[in-house]
Amino acid sequence: MQKLNTTLVYILSVVGFVLCCCSGIGVIPAAIGFYLANKGVKEYEANPDGYSNGPAMKTAKTVSLVVTILAALVAAYTLYTYATTTEEERAQQELEQREQLEEMGIELPW
């Protein structure tokens, strides 16, 4: 029996989850993981006797779908925020964030 590559899908999902904090860029690896998982599930459904870990691929597909949706929401929020604020407002927010970090004792290198 063959095995589907669920590990790659899980790795892409985790990378997508971590990177969704970076302006939602995690949607890229998460979407790739979802595509690969969807392809794997279709292979399994076409030949269920040929693969030993079909249910695991279905779980990996669900995980990657959730991460893709989460990362897409973060990306949409980032785009919305960028489109609705002016450059001056963004500079003021950055200054306030720097001051808050300095009050907590965190020094930024830049």
Side-chain angles (χ1 to χ4, degrees):
M1 290 190 126
Q2 296 178 352
K3 286 195 168 209
L4 296 167
N5 196 358
T6 57
T7 305
L8 178 62
V9 175
Y10 281 125
I11 289 172
L12 287 169
S13 296
V14 169
V15 169
F17 182 74
V18 170
L19 289 179
C20 81
C21 298
C22 303
S23 303
I25 194 110
V27 74
I28 296 167
I32 293 169
F34 180 71
Y35 170 77
L36 293 174
N38 196 31
K39 185 177 164 185
V41 167
K42 286 181 182 177
E43 288 178 19
Y44 171 70
E45 289 174 348
N47 184 13
D49 295 330
Y51 297 100
S52 61
N53 62 343
M57 184 56 87
K58 288 182 180 182
T59 304
K61 179 181 173 183
T62 303
V63 170
S64 64
L65 177 63
V66 169
V67 173
T68 301
I69 291 170
L70 178 65
L73 288 173
V74 172
Y77 176 74
T78 301
L79 290 173
Y80 171 77
T81 303
Y82 188 78
T84 58
T85 58
T86 63
E87 187 66 35
E88 292 81 24
E89 291 172 330
R90 287 191 292 275
Q92 181 63 30
Q93 289 172 355
E94 183 179 341
L95 181 62
E96 291 171 2
Q97 289 172 354
R98 284 177 186 260
E99 290 172 356
Q100 289 175 350
L101 290 173
E102 288 174 358
E103 286 175 7
M104 291 188 286
I106 299 172
E107 295 293 326
L108 296 174
W110 57 90

